[in-house]
Amino acid sequence: MIDVKNLHKSFGDKQVLCGIDEHIQKGEKVVIIGPSGSGKSTFLRCLNLMETPTDGEVIFEGKNITAASGAELNKIRQKMGMVFQHFNLFPHLTIQKNITLAPVKLGLMTQAEADEKARELLERVGLPEKAEQYPAQLSGGQKQRIAIVRSLAMNPDVMLFDEPTSALDPEMVREVLDFMKQLAREGMTMVVVTHEMGFAREVGSRVLFMDEGRIVEQNTPEEFFAHPKDARLQEFLSKVL
Ligand code: ADP
Ligand code: MG
């Protein structure tokens, strides 16, 4: 589904991604871990071209999106949902509007269709009564579930998550992870940057360790956690486990 070839990204003379090659298959749940500043967010943002790679290619569903024009790129991005640490909901719009805005504006659905879809999704995530409320009236965990639902309204083929639970109070982490697990079980292709090692173990089809702009090690969760090979990974795991 996603093919990354020799991906480089620099900001000024600072090299942040130093040649990443990676293949993500349909249905895979790829979990990315690594120290702060290792390039995890930049990597995710390069996958949907929120950041323009300095060099290399990202092929999505057979299309080289690094060469895509603006209009094509918008189409492609619709197929790649992204969820951030800080939710990024529109504060001045109701929950319902937050969910329906993009699909209607992009002409994917009529307002009536989008409203119906929003109702379905809110039902599914257990928040049907929130439709007419504003983001400020929701807890962090509810906001993040709405942010996920908002991405799902576009019927994406892959969901990218950048530390979706890092800004949440501990008691709210679970409800977000449970919803992500549900998506995983339903077969969604997912790329998840997280510090939740339990999630990585339980949900990951593969776990990648990034350090200094490279994927240093990757494996099945069982092998990855039981037999880490790289010294930096061993050290990282000894701090977080
Ligand atoms: P991570 O998500 O693993 O913590 P990031 O991808 O956010 O790492 O950042 C990797 C490095 O790139 C950091 O040193 C960060 O300061 C730098 N960086 C990220 N975005 C920018 C930007 N827009 N401009 C300049 N430097 C950036
Ligand atoms: Mg980050």
Side-chain angles (χ1 to χ4, degrees):
M1 176 169 279
I2 307 178
D3 247 337
V4 178
K5 295 182 185 166
N6 193 32
L7 182 67
H8 286 77
K9 177 68 183 176
S10 302
F11 294 104
D13 50 16
K14 185 176 166 58
Q15 208 177 33
V16 171
L17 299 180
C18 311
I20 292 186
D21 290 281
E22 190 46 53
H23 309 281
I24 297 165
Q25 311 282 342
K26 190 172 182 334
E28 265 199 305
K29 294 88 182 66
V30 176
V31 178
I32 303 174
I33 69 170
S36 176
S38 57
K40 305 180 298 297
S41 295
T42 305
F43 176 57
L44 268 198
R45 294 162 65 88
C46 281
L47 290 184
N48 71 352
L49 275 274
M50 278 174 71
E51 295 285 1
T52 310
T54 316
D55 198 10
E57 290 178 357
V58 180
I59 320 270
F60 176 60
E61 296 182 334
K63 231 194 177 118
N64 180 359
I65 65 174
T66 21
S69 68
E72 279 177 311
L73 205 50
N74 282 335
K75 274 240 146 40
I76 292 158
R77 286 210 188 96
Q78 292 166 20
K79 291 281 148 206
M80 304 173 111
M82 180 125 183
V83 174
F84 305 89
Q85 188 173 343
H86 293 289
F87 329 129
N88 297 11
L89 295 174
F90 304 113
H92 60 294
L93 297 179
T94 63
I95 297 307
Q96 178 87 6
K97 268 279 177 200
N98 262 281
I99 298 169
T100 62
L101 183 73
V104 172
K105 202 167 171 189
L106 294 166
L108 302 178
M109 297 176 198
T110 64
Q111 186 66 50
E113 286 166 346
D115 282 336
E116 181 53 34
K117 177 96 185 172
R119 264 192 295 276
E120 264 170 43
L121 286 166
L122 286 172
E123 196 69 52
R124 178 169 159 199
V125 77
L127 298 170
E129 74 286 0
K130 303 294 183 194
E132 296 311 317
Q133 295 192 6
Y134 288 84
Q137 295 169 280
L138 272 57
S139 72
Q142 291 171 337
K143 275 188 255 198
Q144 193 58 300
R145 285 185 287 153
I146 295 298
I148 297 171
V149 153
R150 180 176 60 171
S151 285
L152 293 175
M154 307 281 287
N155 295 318
D157 291 342
V158 56
M159 287 285 291
L160 312 175
F161 294 88
D162 194 358
E163 299 197 28
T165 59
S166 294
L168 298 176
D169 292 333
E171 72 271 23
M172 291 171 185
V173 169
R174 173 88 172 271
E175 65 196 50
V176 172
L177 292 181
D178 282 349
F179 186 37
M180 291 170 63
K181 285 178 198 170
Q182 190 188 323
L183 287 181
R185 277 196 300 273
E186 290 165 7
M188 178 61 80
T189 308
M190 296 164 70
V191 184
V192 184
V193 174
T194 187
H195 297 295
E196 294 289 335
M197 298 300 146
F199 180 88
R201 262 182 219 276
E202 193 184 332
V203 179
S205 24
R206 267 190 301 144
V207 186
L208 316 187
F209 176 62
M210 274 189 76
D211 194 29
E212 297 182 347
R214 291 190 173 81
I215 296 172
V216 174
E217 186 158 332
Q218 60 168 297
N219 220 325
T220 60
E222 297 75 22
E223 276 299 303
F224 185 93
F225 290 108
H227 306 291
K229 294 176 192 75
D230 183 86
R232 285 175 291 177
L233 173 57
Q234 291 171 358
E235 193 200 339
F236 181 79
L237 290 178
S238 74
K239 287 183 196 151
V240 298
L241 289 180

PDB file of all heavy atoms in Angstrom, residues 40-41 162-163 193, ligand 2:
ATOM      1  N   LYS A  40      10.349  10.542  13.999  1.00  0.00           N
ATOM      2  CA  LYS A  40       9.115   9.761  13.845  1.00  0.00           C
ATOM      3  C   LYS A  40       7.993  10.603  13.224  1.00  0.00           C
ATOM      4  O   LYS A  40       7.336  10.182  12.275  1.00  0.00           O
ATOM      5  CB  LYS A  40       8.657   9.206  15.205  1.00  0.00           C
ATOM      6  CG  LYS A  40       9.720   8.386  15.931  1.00  0.00           C
ATOM      7  CD  LYS A  40       9.211   7.849  17.268  1.00  0.00           C
ATOM      8  CE  LYS A  40       8.822   8.899  18.299  1.00  0.00           C
ATOM      9  NZ  LYS A  40       9.940   9.771  18.746  1.00  0.00           N
ATOM     10  N   SER A  41       7.780  11.795  13.777  1.00  0.00           N
ATOM     11  CA  SER A  41       6.704  12.651  13.244  1.00  0.00           C
ATOM     12  C   SER A  41       7.014  13.084  11.823  1.00  0.00           C
ATOM     13  O   SER A  41       6.124  13.101  10.963  1.00  0.00           O
ATOM     14  CB  SER A  41       6.527  13.903  14.119  1.00  0.00           C
ATOM     15  OG  SER A  41       6.097  13.546  15.400  1.00  0.00           O
ATOM     16  N   ASP A 162      -0.050   9.969  15.176  1.00  0.00           N
ATOM     17  CA  ASP A 162       1.185  10.496  15.763  1.00  0.00           C
ATOM     18  C   ASP A 162       0.995  10.729  17.260  1.00  0.00           C
ATOM     19  O   ASP A 162       0.425  11.737  17.675  1.00  0.00           O
ATOM     20  CB  ASP A 162       1.602  11.801  15.074  1.00  0.00           C
ATOM     21  CG  ASP A 162       3.038  12.183  15.428  1.00  0.00           C
ATOM     22  OD1 ASP A 162       3.684  11.464  16.221  1.00  0.00           O
ATOM     23  OD2 ASP A 162       3.508  13.212  14.917  1.00  0.00           O
ATOM     24  N   GLU A 163       1.443   9.789  18.048  1.00  0.00           N
ATOM     25  CA  GLU A 163       1.310   9.846  19.511  1.00  0.00           C
ATOM     26  C   GLU A 163      -0.091  10.266  19.957  1.00  0.00           C
ATOM     27  O   GLU A 163      -0.257  11.244  20.682  1.00  0.00           O
ATOM     28  CB  GLU A 163       2.363  10.804  20.100  1.00  0.00           C
ATOM     29  CG  GLU A 163       3.783  10.342  19.804  1.00  0.00           C
ATOM     30  CD  GLU A 163       4.806  11.025  20.712  1.00  0.00           C
ATOM     31  OE1 GLU A 163       4.429  11.405  21.845  1.00  0.00           O
ATOM     32  OE2 GLU A 163       5.960  11.163  20.283  1.00  0.00           O
ATOM     33  N   VAL A 193       2.696   5.956  15.646  1.00  0.00           N
ATOM     34  CA  VAL A 193       3.816   6.360  16.491  1.00  0.00           C
ATOM     35  C   VAL A 193       3.288   6.439  17.914  1.00  0.00           C
ATOM     36  O   VAL A 193       2.292   7.126  18.171  1.00  0.00           O
ATOM     37  CB  VAL A 193       4.369   7.744  16.075  1.00  0.00           C
ATOM     38  CG1 VAL A 193       5.430   8.216  17.068  1.00  0.00           C
ATOM     39  CG2 VAL A 193       4.934   7.695  14.662  1.00  0.00           C
TER      40      VAL A 193
HETATM   41 MG    MG B   2       6.910  13.420  17.249  1.00  0.00          MG
END
